[in-house]
Amino acid sequence: MRNNVPQKVLLIISISLIYLSHPLFAEFDKPIKASKGMVVTANKLATETGLKILKDGGNAIDAAVAVGFTLAVTYPYAGNLGGGGFMVLHLSNGKNTSIDFREKAPLLSNKNMYLDDEGNYIPELSQTGVTSVGVPGSVAGLIYALKKYGTMSLAKVIQPAINLAIKGWVLDDNTASSFEHFLPEFNKYNSSKKIFSKKGQPYKKGELFVQKDLGWTLEQIKQKGRDGFYKGKVAKLLVKQISKNNGYITLEDLARYNPIEREPIFGTYRGYKIVSMPPPSSGGIALVELLNILENFKFKTSDWNSSSYINKMVEAMKYVYADRTYKLGDEDFYPVPKKTLISKKYAKTIFDKLTPFATPSTTIQKDILPKQKESTETTHFSVYDKYGNAVSITTTINSAFGSKIVVDGAGFLLNNEMDDFSAKPGEPNQFGLLGSKANSIEPEKRMLSSMTPTIVLKDEKPYIVVGSPGGSTIITTVLQVIMNVIDFNMNIKEAVSVPRFHHQWFPDKIYVEKFCTNKDTEQNLTKMGYTLANRNSTFRILGSAQAILIDNKNKTIYGASDPRRNGLAKGF
Ligand code: DON
């Protein structure tokens, strides 16, 4: 299976092409270096806010919370108050922990809520409108983390977000175009149209974007902490917005919301320790299961993205995504066989089944044919401080701009996260992901996620802090970034930049980014029995990683923001 063009050359060409095709390529040629601290986010203003907190003596948790609130103002595409997420932390005292602030199903929900009288799934109900909204967790999660592990006051870390909302910030090209792109959706809701357009006319790049209502909501949170969001005026406005169109969330749901601190998922890979997110995210288990299977192979530089490498990776991915479908859900509601799934012994049984050709997905588990849906958004940020604390957070409102519904008077967008539940076994969600009883809807249950905020430790100290958006492709994105560093010795900028591929069991296709493979590799894969997805399919771009690598030996911190989007790594 030798390819004519050596893989190393392909790697160099692909990195160059990605850089050259990116408007900011000059910034992206090397990782950003620093000695004291680093913030990497999908948004320049958020990175700068976090960095300022670090420079003012705050720790990584203070900075991460400031970034979280800022993204709700400057990256409404995915940053949020009305969504949820996951946080993995390594503290300077050696403790590893994780905080689950995932949305949950409202008390009034039930497993048939998205089915018609004949039991047919109605995707519009789980994906759009107020019926798709899960009880938000972000505000509670950020405040919990700050109180327990931060050093600064909420007033201090939330103030930059308040200032940006009230004084406004200048719209960049991407944000202005995304507002315009989604205008028809925003126009469906007066409250959203009011915020994201000028009386129906699109905002233009360079204009000042002021969000007074959002500033007011942030001010409520600043003054009253979590009660400023989950009780009182903001909560009432949220419930009013939801009940206007027959949604499910009540004041009781909001008052009862709590983030949960959980033991992370731990694994090892070639001597490195993996610390990642437990259920209700599938991310940590799936990542460790994949790494455990793949550890049985020895890779050399020339293997990178060759047909035989892709074959090994993709076969492993199929088994792991099948496990995700049948075995993973919110552990507080369903007995997830966590220990087995992350054991080396179990991984070896899968490794022994891998074939040097394509094993049809239908023979791995039942035959279910999913459809594919619209574009989506989530965001990841990574922070490392001079004390040795590392924070890895992925947060989302699910689709781009979530449900597209702004809470009138409160200025923030609501998620459409309920779609991450399995509405009916065999019916794919918007990522084409399948689910089973493990992830069926129950009141107060948290929907299964793919978010994979991860910290890799070397000698028990943070080595890589990484995560990504990308729905179902998050897991394979994080996997490839980690392997690019550990197996292929790439620097962190290369590791996040180089092209990626993805398989999720169903659809039985390999999604391959531009420049990932050459003609020979593609022909070899076809001969092995694989179908390559059309490059213009849903997963044209696979994830957008925001990563930090800490070289303790040389006392250097490297930051890298994925050139696929317009994020920024900045350190000091
Ligand atoms: O939790 C999840 O897995 C999804 N709601 C994440 C959505 C996402 O990553 C969309 N981004 N591109």
Side-chain angles (χ1 to χ4, degrees), residues 86 102-103 281-282 324 375-379 394-400 416-417 420 429-431 433 447-451 468-474 543 565:
F86 299 106
R102 180 69 159 167
E103 299 94 324
S281 184
S282 62
R324 183 193 190 281
S375 81
T376 51
E377 213 24 89
T378 291
T379 192
T394 316
T395 179
T396 189
I397 35 179
N398 205 14
S399 299
N416 62 340
E417 216 76 57
D420 275 349
N429 73 358
Q430 64 172 307
F431 304 105
L433 284 170
M447 54 296 277
L448 187 64
S449 171
S450 301
M451 292 189 277
S468 173
S472 52
T473 71
I474 293 174
R565 303 269 163 93

Side-chain angles (χ1 to χ4, degrees), residues 228-338:
F229 184 85
Y230 291 91
K231 290 182 178 165
K233 290 183 193 153
V234 174
K236 282 191 187 132
L237 288 171
L238 192 158
V239 171
K240 190 171 159 202
Q241 187 73 45
I242 295 275
S243 32
K244 207 155 61 181
N245 297 79
N246 301 322
Y248 299 92
I249 296 175
T250 60
L251 286 173
E252 190 185 355
D253 279 314
L254 293 172
R256 283 167 68 95
Y257 186 87
N258 272 317
I260 302 174
E261 186 159 358
R262 298 184 189 271
E263 167 91 345
I265 290 292
F266 291 107
T268 59
Y269 183 64
R270 306 199 196 282
Y272 294 87
K273 187 163 174 176
I274 311 294
V275 188
S276 192
M277 197 64 214
S281 184
S282 62
I285 290 181
L287 175 68
V288 168
E289 190 180 338
L290 276 163
L291 289 169
N292 283 344
I293 300 168
L294 295 163
E295 199 177 37
N296 292 288
F297 293 107
K298 281 246 153 348
F299 297 118
K300 30 181 210 317
T301 310
S302 58
D303 291 331
W304 183 81
N305 282 9
S306 65
S307 50
S308 88
Y309 177 68
I310 294 176
N311 157 257
K312 293 176 174 93
M313 298 278 281
V314 156
E315 290 306 306
M317 288 172 191
K318 287 181 195 171
Y319 284 92
V320 171
Y321 276 81
D323 277 345
R324 183 193 190 281
T325 304
Y326 288 100
K327 298 174 185 155
L328 297 188
D330 181 349
E331 265 192 298
D332 298 341
F333 288 75
Y334 186 86
V336 174
K338 195 162 65 180

Side-chain angles (χ1 to χ4, degrees), residues 60-222:
I61 296 88
D62 299 320
V65 173
V67 167
F69 283 119
T70 302
L71 285 168
V73 178
T74 59
Y75 195 68
Y77 204 45
N80 66 82
L81 300 183
F86 299 106
M87 181 180 318
V88 171
L89 302 113
H90 173 91
L91 304 170
S92 55
N93 63 10
K95 176 174 171 170
N96 299 298
T97 187
S98 78
I99 300 168
D100 157 10
F101 54 99
R102 180 69 159 167
E103 299 94 324
K104 61 176 188 176
L107 287 159
L108 291 175
S109 59
N110 67 75
K111 77 174 185 339
N112 297 326
M113 65 196 281
Y114 301 128
L115 307 183
D116 66 15
D117 293 343
E118 273 137 43
N120 300 310
Y121 170 46
I122 316 164
E124 296 72 35
L125 290 181
S126 71
Q127 290 172 11
T128 60
V130 290
T131 50
S132 68
V133 185
V135 183
S138 291
V139 173
L142 293 175
I143 292 177
Y144 176 95
L146 184 72
K147 274 201 178 143
K148 186 145 180 200
Y149 299 114
T151 63
M152 289 176 162
S153 67
L154 177 59
K156 164 98 181 161
V157 298
I158 206 171
Q159 196 58 47
I162 296 178
N163 295 346
L164 285 159
I166 289 180
K167 294 182 189 152
W169 49 279
V170 177
L171 284 170
D172 55 81
D173 201 9
N174 280 309
T175 314
S177 342
S178 69
F179 288 2
E180 187 165 0
H181 178 81
F182 287 99
L183 200 52
E185 304 263 353
F186 294 138
N187 280 344
K188 291 184 195 157
Y189 308 96
N190 269 332
S191 56
S192 310
K193 182 175 161 187
K194 216 159 75 183
I195 302 294
F196 293 111
S197 74
K198 298 177 295 181
K199 299 199 169 95
Q201 288 310 302
Y203 274 103
K204 295 265 170 279
K205 166 188 169 188
E207 286 186 301
L208 195 66
F209 183 52
V210 176
Q211 301 170 86
K212 285 253 154 60
D213 290 349
L214 181 58
W216 171 81
T217 298
L218 287 162
E219 189 64 48
Q220 299 299 303
I221 298 169
K222 175 181 156 185

Side-chain angles (χ1 to χ4, degrees), residues 10-26:
L10 194 61
L11 188 155
I12 293 164
I13 294 172
S14 54
I15 295 173
S16 323
L17 287 171
I18 285 185
Y19 289 156
L20 292 174
S21 61
H22 195 283
L24 298 174
F25 72 89

Side-chain angles (χ1 to χ4, degrees), residues 86 106 217 283 373 469 502 561:
F86 299 106
T217 298
K373 293 268 158 51
H502 169 76
S561 178

Side-chain angles (χ1 to χ4, degrees), residues 443-497:
E444 301 216 289
K445 188 172 170 180
R446 297 174 190 219
M447 54 296 277
L448 187 64
S449 171
S450 301
M451 292 189 277
T452 315
T454 299
I455 300 175
V456 179
L457 306 179
K458 184 179 185 176
D459 305 324
E460 297 298 322
K461 297 252 160 57
Y463 179 52
I464 304 171
V465 188
V466 62
S468 173
S472 52
T473 71
I474 293 174
I475 298 163
T476 53
T477 294
V478 172
L479 172 80
Q480 286 169 81
V481 172
I482 292 173
M483 291 181 67
N484 286 345
V485 173
I486 295 179
D487 291 86
F488 300 103
N489 212 14
M490 292 185 202
N491 73 41
I492 194 68
K493 186 68 200 188
E494 289 171 333
V496 303
S497 305

